[in-house]
Amino acid sequence: MDSHIDHIELATTAPIQLIDITAEVRERVQASGLRHGLVTLISNHTTARVNLNEREARLQQDMVTFLKRLVPRDGDYGHNIAPVDDRDNAHAHLLGLFANASESIPVADGGLLLGEWQSIFFVELDGPRAKRQVTVQLLGER
């Protein structure tokens, strides 16, 4: 069994943003030569997540609107009294409770086994941020 670790670097431009990273993940799988196995993606941040969902512009905007309504940025949160990184981001940490930090996707015949409508998203909950990272671990056979 082969193992390979890579990273996807990205910047975000909005407070809450969904960025489709499916093409970047496919590139990592192809470059690794993995034929059969598993790719695991994990956000390296407590205020960003990885999610499988449908890529459709209006749905993505609905998701952002839903998240903003679910945990408003201007809530009365104790974490914002003395934040460790000078960011009033308690809302982002709370939103993180409702999403996965990681996703695992099977690889067969060198391709991702995603459903017809599934895309892989990096979900920013505390942007904009100049530097974000997703770790990509590939396990399997070449």
Side-chain angles (χ1 to χ4, degrees):
M1 179 181 299
D2 290 323
S3 175
H4 178 74
I5 292 183
D6 203 342
H7 299 91
I8 297 171
E9 305 277 341
L10 59 153
T12 62
T13 59
I16 297 178
Q17 184 178 4
L18 286 87
I19 299 173
D20 188 341
I21 60 170
T22 310
E24 290 89 341
V25 175
R26 282 192 172 113
E27 288 172 9
R28 299 316 191 276
V29 170
Q30 188 173 39
S32 74
L34 186 71
R35 297 296 302 150
H36 302 284
L38 190 67
V39 59
T40 298
L41 310 163
I42 185 165
S43 168
N44 295 82
H45 311 282
T46 58
T47 56
R49 296 293 190 249
V50 177
N51 184 262
L52 298 180
N53 216 307
E54 182 177 346
R55 180 180 180 186
E56 192 276 320
R58 288 173 295 207
L59 177 59
Q60 288 172 251
Q61 186 54 52
D62 290 341
M63 291 177 200
V64 170
T65 300
F66 171 78
L67 291 170
K68 287 179 179 178
R69 287 179 186 156
L70 182 65
V71 182
R73 182 179 186 89
D74 61 353
D76 183 23
Y77 308 118
H79 176 72
N80 290 345
I81 294 171
V84 295
D85 61 358
D86 296 323
R87 290 181 74 97
D88 292 342
N89 63 359
H91 69 287
H93 290 285
L94 295 171
L95 285 169
L97 292 170
F98 298 98
N100 297 326
S102 65
E103 292 282 354
S104 293
I105 303 162
V107 174
D109 296 322
L112 297 171
L113 289 183
L114 290 172
E116 179 180 359
W117 301 106
Q118 287 182 316
S119 291
I120 306 165
F121 290 96
F122 177 81
V123 183
E124 174 64 74
L125 300 172
D126 187 31
R129 296 287 188 125
K131 185 177 179 182
R132 291 297 211 177
Q133 185 179 75
V134 175
T135 296
V136 181
Q137 183 182 40
L138 300 134
L139 296 171
E141 300 173 356
R142 293 178 193 241

